[in-house]
Amino acid sequence: MPKQPKYSSSLHNSKQSTGGRPLIVLCLVSLLILTFYLREGESGPIHAARGAVMTITAPVRSLGSVVAAPFNALGNIVSNATASGDTLSELKKKNEELTAQVAELSEAHETAERLEKLVGLKSTYNLESTAARIIGSTGDSWSDTVVIDKGANAGFEPGMAVCSSGGVIGQIIEVSPTTATVRLLNDEQSGISAMVQGSRAQGMLSGQADGTLRLEYVVADAQVSAGDIIITSGIGGTFPKGLPLGTVASVERSANAVYYSIVVRPASSAENNEEVLVITTLNDEQRASEADVADANSAPQGVDPKKDAAANPDENANE
């Protein structure tokens, strides 16, 4: 048997040893290109070449994304469909928990905003007050009232004014150790000494049977216009002077009438509020001045505008 030449093995090894050279050369070339790419500016030839390639291949890549999108969506559907019952139940539970957390955070945010407005009202008017929460309504066809969660134990007494963040909403009429009943402004039995902020015209803000508010006993020669702000006058020592009550919605005057007929839009309502302030003490600055009392006493009193209008039916018909 003839022997194989010894040089064949060394030749085979030589061929194998040269197989990795192209790879090494490509790596070196790539390294050099990367080095030049990092060193050259944005306007360099390599950057320009890269931009040209990206521009040319953009339609192809966009088409590839469009073609692949349905398959990706189908893959997600298949993945969801083949998920185990335990996995789906866990995902559903997590979704419910996240939904509950979002609702809780939203409610906390709303509450924080309302409390911030209450604190702002208290600070602006320097009110000596105690916070309470509306917990129910006792309104019926004869009255319009709400119940708050504090009473005599918190120092509340009948007659104390109650405010929301927007202004006055009513006053306490009954107390128990732990609750109090608040008569709202639009209750038919409600009446608060008030005045027009701009002209200082004095009147009485009264609730009506139809649930509206009217500023009564404002003399017809006073300056009153729609949009004027109505505030507490401080007369009577129950409500601090200057608290918002509402704005004038309309002003009318019948022929030969002594008083205006003024409809007032309330500044706030119990329906849109949960937290309130009960004003427990008034300081001297919050009470009506002697001049305010004198102005109120000098105005004509004792004439009901409705009766006055009814006494002149012919003149009203000609109005």
Side-chain angles (χ1 to χ4, degrees), residues 66-128:
V66 172
V67 173
F71 295 97
N72 293 333
L74 181 61
N76 292 333
I77 294 174
V78 173
S79 177
N80 293 334
T82 57
S84 65
D86 293 339
T87 301
L88 294 176
S89 297
E90 184 178 355
L91 290 174
K92 184 178 179 180
K93 182 179 179 181
K94 288 183 178 179
N95 182 62
E96 292 175 350
E97 291 176 352
L98 290 174
T99 302
Q101 289 177 6
V102 170
E104 184 178 355
L105 290 174
S106 297
E107 179 62 21
H109 177 70
E110 294 292 333
T111 301
E113 284 190 343
R114 292 196 303 269
L115 292 176
E116 184 178 358
K117 290 179 180 178
L118 273 180
V119 172
L121 182 77
K122 180 175 182 178
S123 176
T124 299
Y125 294 94
N126 192 26
L127 301 176
E128 291 291 334

Side-chain angles (χ1 to χ4, degrees), residues 107-263:
E107 179 62 21
H109 177 70
E110 294 292 333
T111 301
E113 284 190 343
R114 292 196 303 269
L115 292 176
E116 184 178 358
K117 290 179 180 178
L118 273 180
V119 172
L121 182 77
K122 180 175 182 178
S123 176
T124 299
Y125 294 94
N126 192 26
L127 301 176
E128 291 291 334
S129 59
T130 300
R133 181 182 291 272
I134 296 175
I135 58 175
S137 172
T138 60
D140 51 34
S141 57
W142 305 104
S143 63
D144 198 351
T145 58
V146 295
V147 178
I148 57 178
D149 64 352
K150 293 180 182 178
N153 291 343
F156 294 171
E157 299 176 357
M160 288 182 172
V162 181
C163 299
S164 70
S165 59
V168 177
I169 63 170
Q171 73 183 123
I172 294 176
I173 55 173
E174 294 179 0
V175 294
S176 72
T178 57
T179 63
T181 302
V182 179
R183 176 182 290 150
L184 302 178
L185 290 183
N186 57 348
D187 185 276
E188 191 175 3
Q189 300 181 54
S190 174
I192 299 175
S193 295
M195 64 180 176
V196 181
Q197 188 178 50
S199 64
R200 319 306 285 181
Q202 302 280 341
M204 178 70 68
L205 187 69
S206 303
Q208 305 297 308
D210 60 0
T212 61
L213 283 176
R214 291 184 179 271
L215 185 62
E216 301 178 322
Y217 308 122
V218 177
V219 293
D221 60 350
Q223 296 295 322
V224 185
S225 303
D228 285 349
I229 298 174
I230 307 303
I231 60 175
T232 52
S233 66
I235 296 174
T238 300
F239 292 85
K241 180 180 178 180
L243 287 179
L245 291 168
T247 56
V248 175
S250 65
V251 182
E252 296 179 1
R253 178 188 177 187
S254 300
N256 298 326
V258 178
Y259 303 107
Y260 283 119
S261 176
I262 303 174
V263 178

Side-chain angles (χ1 to χ4, degrees), residues 13-35:
N13 292 336
S14 175
K15 289 182 179 180
Q16 286 184 341
S17 64
T18 59
R21 289 179 181 178
L23 179 61
I24 295 173
V25 171
L26 289 175
C27 290
L28 291 174
V29 171
S30 299
L31 183 60
L32 289 173
I33 293 174
L34 178 61
T35 302

